[in-house]
């Protein structure tokens, strides 16, 4: 009879259901979830501090790819931004002369108003002084608007450079070789001072604290198996078997021949 494939997984090791008439009622193989950590940058591996069998924690930096050119590119972009911003006008200096002219016009306006109160000046003279004040104020407003447009234009000119710096920072981060998961290094594919490319595997790692047992059962046992069912795993041990708890996490929807 064609058997069904099931997968049993647990926090430690995995299992098979026990029956009264036999010690075990299914056999299979243990598997670990393996992760291949690949390079995210192209260049020479300057350091790769791992060895097969070594246990690593997630997020640990284990090496890096040469990033000299990216570092220099970022410095160049930062210099370009400083160069653009150095063209920003000094608003206070640009307006200083007009503000002084406005103060002079306002003093003249007040002087003429005082003379008018003493009948020593005419209304036309006061109107002319007031007009002069308004003209200077208009010049100041126009100058402020022009300087504001210039400042805004220069800031917008730096935005593409800022984006390029962010892109460069991202590429610099990808030069760091960071371990992806907690686990044990199974295979090392590269060494320091070798050239690598983005996507090229560097090493394989697996968390051996959690294993999956892929077991095969016969059709008459299939009706007695359910998802999340608790089972007992028997592994070879001196003098017999050692028991471990397990949970059925997956049942194949297709029959397969026993391998």
């Amino acid at each position: 009879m064609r058997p069904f494939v099931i997968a049993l997984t647990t926090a430690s090791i995995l299992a098979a259901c026990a029956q009264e008439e036999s010690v075990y009622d299914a056999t299979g193989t243990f598997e670990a979830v393996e992760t291949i950590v690949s390079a995210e940058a192209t260049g020479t591996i300057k350091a790769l501090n791992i060895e097969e069998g070594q246990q690593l924690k997630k997020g640990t930096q284990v090496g890096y790819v040469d990033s000299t050119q990216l570092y220099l590119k970022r410095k160049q972009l930062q210099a370009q931004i400083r160069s653009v911003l150095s063209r920003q006008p000094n608003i206070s200096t640009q307006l200083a002369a007009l503000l002084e002219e406005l103060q002079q016009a306002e003093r003249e306006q007040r002087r003429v108003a005082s003379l008018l109160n003493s009948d020593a000046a005419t209304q036309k003279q006061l109107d002319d002084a007031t007009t002069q004040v308004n003209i200077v104020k208009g010049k100041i407003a126009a100058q402020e608007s022009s300087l504001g447009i210039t400042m805004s234009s220069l800031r917008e000119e730096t935005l593409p450079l800022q984006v390029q710096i962010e892109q460069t920072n991202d590429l610099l981060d990808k030069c760091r070789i960071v371990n992806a998961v907690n686990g044990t290094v199974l295979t090392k594919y590269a060494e320091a001072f070798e050239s690598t490319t983005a996507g090229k595997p560097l090493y394989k790692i697996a968390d051996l604290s959690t294993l999956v047992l892929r077991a095969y059962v016969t059709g008459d046992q299939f009706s007695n198996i359910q998802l999340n069912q608790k089972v007992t795993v028997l592994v070879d041990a001196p003098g017999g078997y050692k028991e471990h708890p397990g949970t059925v996490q997956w049942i194949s929807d297709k029959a397969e021949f026993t391998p």
Side-chain angles (χ1 to χ4, degrees):
M1 181 177 294
R2 300 176 68 185
F4 291 88
V5 179
I6 65 171
L8 312 176
T9 187
T10 179
S12 56
I13 309 181
L14 305 186
C17 306
Q19 292 181 343
E20 295 180 359
E21 61 272 15
S22 62
V23 176
Y24 57 86
D25 50 23
T27 60
T29 57
F30 290 101
E31 301 173 355
V33 177
E34 299 176 347
T35 300
I36 294 179
V37 178
S38 301
E40 294 186 276
T42 298
T44 301
I45 301 173
K46 289 297 186 180
L48 186 57
N49 304 315
I50 59 169
E51 297 297 336
E52 294 181 358
Q54 180 181 355
Q55 292 187 346
L56 298 175
K57 291 185 178 180
K58 180 180 180 180
T60 301
Q61 182 173 340
V62 297
Y64 66 96
V65 176
D66 182 26
S67 59
T68 302
Q69 294 303 314
L70 291 172
Y71 172 74
L72 294 176
K73 180 181 179 181
R74 183 174 65 180
K75 289 188 65 175
Q76 180 185 21
L77 292 169
Q78 291 170 337
Q80 287 181 260
I81 289 177
R82 289 194 296 269
S83 176
V84 170
L85 294 180
S86 68
R87 303 202 306 267
Q88 288 182 321
N90 188 319
I91 294 179
S92 59
T93 301
Q94 295 275 359
L95 295 179
L98 288 174
L99 291 174
E100 180 63 29
E101 184 178 347
L102 176 62
Q103 290 179 354
Q104 178 62 32
E106 289 175 339
R107 284 196 296 268
E108 179 65 16
Q109 182 187 39
R110 290 192 296 269
R111 188 184 70 81
V112 172
S114 177
L115 292 174
L116 181 62
N117 290 333
S118 302
D119 293 329
T122 64
Q123 181 63 44
K124 182 179 183 305
Q125 289 176 308
L126 179 59
D127 292 342
D128 290 343
T130 300
T131 299
Q132 184 62 30
V133 169
N134 292 334
I135 289 174
V136 176
K137 286 182 177 180
K139 289 181 180 179
I140 292 174
Q143 185 73 346
E144 287 178 335
S145 175
S146 176
L147 293 174
I149 292 173
T150 300
M151 295 280 286
S152 177
S153 176
L154 290 173
R155 285 194 295 268
E156 290 180 0
E157 191 175 335
T158 66
L159 292 180
L161 298 175
Q162 292 284 5
V163 172
Q164 290 182 56
I165 288 179
E166 292 177 6
Q167 292 173 333
T168 303
N169 287 337
D170 179 62
L171 293 175
L172 282 169
D173 286 339
K174 290 179 178 179
C175 287
R176 299 167 59 244
I177 303 172
V178 180
N179 183 53
V181 296
N182 295 325
T184 302
V185 178
L186 302 179
T187 308
K188 185 178 180 181
Y189 300 119
E191 297 289 344
F193 307 113
E194 292 182 354
S195 295
T196 188
T197 57
K200 183 178 180 179
L202 300 176
Y203 63 95
K204 179 164 62 178
I205 188 171
D207 185 359
L208 301 182
S209 65
T210 299
L211 297 178
V212 175
L213 173 61
R214 183 179 296 270
Y216 293 81
V217 299
T218 57
D220 55 352
Q221 294 173 303
F222 182 72
S223 60
N224 297 323
I225 300 174
Q226 298 178 351
L227 289 176
N228 300 318
Q229 179 180 348
K230 301 300 179 182
V231 295
T232 300
V233 176
L234 303 178
V235 296
D236 292 331
Y241 296 102
K242 185 176 181 180
E243 295 184 356
H244 297 272
T247 304
V248 177
Q249 288 196 339
W250 176 78
I251 301 175
S252 176
D253 59 352
K254 296 180 180 179
E256 296 184 18
F257 289 105
T258 305

